Amino acid sequence: MSNDRKIIECVPNFSEGRDLEKIEKIIGAFRGKEGVKLLDYSRDEDHNRLVVTVVGEPIALKDAVLEAMGKAIEVIDMREHKGQHPRMGATDVVPFIPIKNVTMEEAIDLAKQLAKEVSEKFNLPIYLYEKAASRAERENLAKVRKGEFEGMNEKFQDPNWKPDFGPDKVHETAGVTAIGARMPLVAFNVNLDTPNLDIASSIAKNVRFIGGGLRFCKAMGVELKERGITQVSMNLTDYTKTAIYRAFEMVKMEAKRYGVNVVGSEVIGLLPMEALIDTAVYYMGIEDFSLDQVLENRLME
Amino acid sequence: MSNDRKIIECVPNFSEGRDLEKIEKIIGAFRGKEGVKLLDYSRDEDHNRLVVTVVGEPIALKDAVLEAMGKAIEVIDMREHKGQHPRMGATDVVPFIPIKNVTMEEAIDLAKQLAKEVSEKFNLPIYLYEKAASRAERENLAKVRKGEFEGMNEKFQDPNWKPDFGPDKVHETAGVTAIGARMPLVAFNVNLDTPNLDIASSIAKNVRFIGGGLRFCKAMGVELKERGITQVSMNLTDYTKTAIYRAFEMVKMEAKRYGVNVVGSEVIGLLPMEALIDTAVYYMGIEDFSLDQVLENRLME
């Protein structure tokens, strides 16, 4: 009945995308648990990888992830793992994402708590990454995972790359896990009425952070061959600071330079309600709007 | 933990806006009830009226309203009631509003179930109104309530105005209650950069239903004297058919005729998430968007 229940999301990635029996054992840790809800999971045979989306109350969620990691250790042997996606552990990466009544600090604390518990229980080395990172060079997951499973024992020799928790020795079958905290990602694409990929790519370069554009925007040009159009495909890594309407309007503005029009957009997967409400508030100039005015935010939980 | 829990809203109006002890007795029926959440209540001394906003699971909510109506019968004597707002009963009007996983038909059924139970339990005459009305001329609450408490016994003599439930005789102290079902109301105002009320009123006349405008829009011009501006103040009675962005754009369009600009807008009170998401989807042309993509819609409840 309380409206201030803390809700956190977790998107753990496991290195098994083929064996349905093994996958079901891992997923099972998220089923029928009080305070935990399995939202989605998808496996990819080429990547040989399982991506789970689960939400819940912080402690219940952390405990379920711990259990799932135990299952992954039971059923996955990294010495035999092959797949197209880079990976270093049976549980490869575990990001916690604050959703409701949870601060980023709490998500970071939860990541550290899980890191401590899982490292002690399974003698597993853990790197903390993104917002939970212990130093700047560990924020980027790609850098943390560089060397992959096979190269991790060598990496541990470098004093700069000692794991944050657990032994300085790779777990023989389960490898190494990265645990962290981040904002929800919004995957937002804007469609252009041109088949010219160069134009979409040029616009992408101008709107993204590394090109001098929006601070929390990654972008690339993409062809939609079937429709004969292109799109600017974006990842907004902090929608509270780089609003989606701002990314949309910036793409529209840049498209003008090429005489190209925006013909629509798309949101891939899930996004927080606030990201869209902020958009409505912007376009209609709604004054003094509060999220408490949204009926669903007032419903019992 | 289920995401398909049915949620319905009820906004009962009681004829007591002054005596806090009596008000607390009525409100008490909505407190501490499993499956029921009191969102808000406001009393008005001039109107001598109490408006309660409560949400819950259909049966639990209906039972709580029944209990509150019993309390209202205990503490209110309509023979002594005076106030500026038209009224005909201790519990004057009870609208049920479908919010989540509930159809309008279910809201209507719940209204009828309450009407039956309350009429039998307290020997109270009931009119069904709006979407629950038994005939077209009972849809409009103002028509149903015409004659007010003092005139109801006479109204009952007209064969067209027999109550839908209960005796053909006004309850001596509790009068008559209207019970019905309706869509959520969205109170949405658009601000204009003119102090000229005639302009705001003219625009209001053109955008509202009775003036040839939008089907589910009521509107009037209002002065915001402190700010030296005016506004078109609207009630959208079915936001799923008369979208708020459409009302906004129509006001903007009409304002041009007077060389006047829209300088902002405001939402008064609560509104359903969908009304704003629809707005964001419109302005950014988001293709194939589903409400299931909103993270909060997937959270446990």
Side-chain angles (χ1 to χ4, degrees), chain A residues 46-90:
Chain A
D46 296 329
H47 288 181
N48 198 5
R49 194 175 177 86
L50 169 70
V51 179
V52 178
T53 305
V54 61
V55 291
E57 296 171 51
I59 298 303
L61 183 62
K62 185 259 300 165
D63 289 344
V65 174
L66 183 64
E67 186 182 322
M69 291 180 75
K71 293 289 172 193
I73 290 173
E74 265 176 57
V75 301
I76 298 173
D77 186 342
M78 290 305 291
R79 293 170 300 187
E80 294 167 10
H81 183 274
K82 286 194 171 50
Q84 286 173 10
H85 197 288
R87 81 288 176 269
M88 61 181 181

Side-chain angles (χ1 to χ4, degrees), chain A residues 2 24 26 58 81 124 126 160 171 203 246 261:
Chain A
S2 140
E24 194 44 52
I26 297 168
H81 183 274
L124 185 72
I126 304 291
N160 288 326
H171 187 290
I203 294 172
R246 207 172 297 140
N261 295 305

